[in-house]
Amino acid sequence: MLFPLLSAPVPTADDGPAVTVDGVTLRRSDLLGASTAVAERLLGLGVRGPVAVWATPSAATVVAIVGALRAGVPIVPVPPDSGTGEVAHLLGDSGAQAWLGASPDAAGLPTVPVRLHARGWHHIPEPGADAVAMIMYTSGTTGAPKGVPVTHRAIAACLDGLADAWGWTDADTLVHGLPLFHVHGLVLGVLGAVRVGSPLVHTGRPTPAAYAAAGGTLYFGVPTVWSRIAADPGAAAALRGARLLVSGSAPLPVPVFERIRELTGHEIVERYGMTETLITVSTRADGERRPGWVGFPLDGVETRLVGDDGAAVRRDGESIGSLQLRGPMVASGYLRRPEATAEAWGADGWFTTGDVAVIDAGGMHRIVGRASTDLIKTGGFRVGAGEIETALLAHDAVREAAVVGLPDDDLGQRVVAFVVVESDGARVDSSTLIEFVGRTLSKHKRPREIRFVVDLPRNAMGKVQKKLLLD
């Protein structure tokens, strides 16, 4: 049962705020009644296949998604900034039968309306645990986005594992302003709150001022959000009363971790996941929080590192290997992509993440990055881009840094850093930064070249698009 708190009528004493999105509040009875009305309408119309949701940050989006999931109708979250070609791909590939709620013009599918004030009170049978809850799409960095069918069982396992790791209960108030079409903002940030019973305050946009004003106990953010809060001491100070701050979707720079600790008294919890696996590894609220490390496997998750030859890599905190994992929240394959599925999933259920990582003797994980862009093989050495980026960010003149390996006839790959400087740091030069990195890292890890840029290309979740830098 994905939403046990919505399976029965709401006692008056428990009818507190359930979801607030950009100033619109739904009490628990509102969410129960409106989502039931959505489920009744879908079932009454005979809609059983996937429905697309134009996933704007709105109360209507939350009602649409919760209602469809309760009806057992898979949802396809569509980013509201998608172009026409992207929308066509998601609709065609998923086989979406209709739009649920608002839709873009000329989308070509019928629309099932969602009304915040509609109320349905019939009992809705709970879908089976192995029923597909949603079809989420990868970011498409290596081709057209691939659909990942995610089951009710997988979502429940992920959220229960995180609730245990973070001590997340209905006594918390969750605050975030993340998009509602990714794992972070949708699965954790909406479905997690509804499952646990913690009120959700979605700020519309994740600005420092909005986070400071929300008065929550549990905050979710991507590194870009935490970086902006770290640059706003007043907003950061307002988070001192929180219980837990969580970062994900991209690596959190160590200087940001340290600055947030200085301003708020909190050490940010980091976690690791992806569309195909949901969240599988996390730092615990009651354990060590080591900057740059993402913690331990959630309940039921197994992880391993393998080398290029398929042999096991030592868990010594230094040796880099390809990260593979399996667990109850990991999907079983891509939608209608048997070749891609066979490439990523082994017959024994191990999923090859495409990330490289290190694991220490105690089992704590550090993600080095994507094997395709963050593992640099230079002069016979294997170097992680993140380590060099952290070293660069420690320089006062550096605001952002992204390190890649570019082809080199002599070295195989040479280390190249793309750097954004602070407004008052324009006078820093390449040799100064290269020498600065050389003070803390080995000689072979120093950048061979520094390229100064105005900004770094990022996606909607704040991840640097290194493929664009390589191109």
Side-chain angles (χ1 to χ4, degrees), residues 3-4 18 26 148 150 187 294 377 393 416 457:
F3 304 122
L26 299 176
V148 180
V150 181
V187 178
V294 296
K377 298 178 182 179
L393 288 168
V416 176

Side-chain angles (χ1 to χ4, degrees), residues 65-447:
I65 290 171
V66 173
L69 294 180
R70 294 183 63 209
V73 176
I75 60 168
V76 182
V78 179
D81 61 349
S82 298
T84 56
E86 295 168 308
V87 172
H89 171 69
L90 266 58
L91 298 183
D93 188 73
S94 66
Q97 296 182 2
W99 285 97
L100 183 57
S103 64
D105 294 337
L109 290 177
T111 298
V112 178
V114 172
R115 300 183 177 90
L116 289 183
H117 302 292
R119 296 293 180 266
W121 302 108
H122 289 89
H123 172 71
I124 304 295
E126 184 76 14
D130 292 320
V132 174
M134 61 182 68
I135 301 171
M136 303 197 78
Y137 278 80
T138 62
S139 57
T141 55
T142 57
K146 296 185 287 289
V148 180
V150 181
T151 66
H152 286 252
R153 185 191 304 278
I155 294 173
C158 171
L159 297 178
D160 291 349
L162 291 176
D164 173 69
W166 298 344
W168 186 3
T169 72
D170 58 3
D172 282 305
T173 295
L174 171 62
V175 177
H176 74 86
L178 303 173
L180 301 189
F181 48 85
H182 284 306
V183 171
H184 197 169
L186 173 54
V187 178
L188 277 60
V190 173
L191 306 186
V194 178
R195 181 171 178 80
V196 171
S198 60
L200 165 64
V201 177
H202 190 286
T203 59
R205 296 180 62 245
T207 64
Y211 273 43
T217 63
L218 177 61
Y219 286 79
F220 291 170
V222 297
T224 301
V225 172
W226 295 120
S227 178
R228 291 171 180 171
I229 291 174
D232 188 333
L239 303 187
R240 281 188 168 271
R243 185 181 66 81
L244 202 67
L245 311 181
V246 179
S247 182
S249 298
L252 180 71
V254 173
V256 175
F257 178 99
E258 294 173 342
R259 181 61 171 161
I260 290 292
R261 178 172 57 192
E262 175 187 343
L263 293 173
T264 70
H266 290 289
E267 293 184 333
I268 291 179
V269 162
E270 296 185 67
R271 85 299 181 283
Y272 169 75
M274 53 199 309
T275 305
E276 294 92 334
T277 68
L278 304 182
I279 307 303
T280 51
V281 179
S282 180
T283 307
R284 294 186 60 87
D286 57 0
E288 178 187 7
R289 304 174 204 176
R290 193 184 306 168
W293 294 70
V294 296
F296 304 90
L298 299 184
D299 188 34
V301 175
E302 301 172 81
T303 64
R304 68 184 185 188
L305 298 178
V306 298
D308 293 340
D309 58 359
V313 171
R314 293 191 304 275
R315 295 188 172 210
D316 56 10
E318 296 182 2
S319 298
I320 298 174
S322 171
L323 178 63
Q324 297 181 344
L325 49 83
R326 61 183 178 186
M329 63 284 291
V330 179
S332 58
Y334 295 112
L335 181 67
R336 291 192 289 274
R337 299 285 187 92
E339 294 180 357
T341 297
E343 183 178 348
W345 277 268
D348 52 1
W350 287 97
F351 173 72
T352 300
T353 64
D355 287 322
V356 286
V358 299
I359 304 176
D360 72 9
M364 183 171 272
H365 293 56
R366 177 171 66 85
I367 306 301
V368 174
R370 298 299 291 172
S372 59
T373 56
D374 293 307
L375 180 62
I376 303 170
K377 298 178 182 179
T378 179
F381 295 97
R382 292 159 64 91
V383 176
E387 186 178 18
I388 306 169
E389 290 162 358
T390 296
L392 285 165
L393 288 168
H395 194 287
D396 291 340
V398 176
R399 178 157 58 89
E400 295 180 290
V403 171
V404 299
L406 295 183
D408 187 275
D409 292 338
D410 180 41
L411 299 169
Q413 289 181 303
R414 70 182 186 278
V415 178
V416 176
F418 291 80
V419 171
V420 180
V421 297
E422 297 287 0
S423 58
D424 58 353
R427 294 182 180 179
V428 70
D429 58 24
S430 296
S431 60
T432 299
L433 291 181
I434 292 171
E435 291 173 7
F436 181 79
V437 172
R439 295 175 198 165
T440 56
L441 299 182
S442 303
K443 182 179 179 180
H444 64 269
K445 296 179 180 179
R446 290 183 296 180

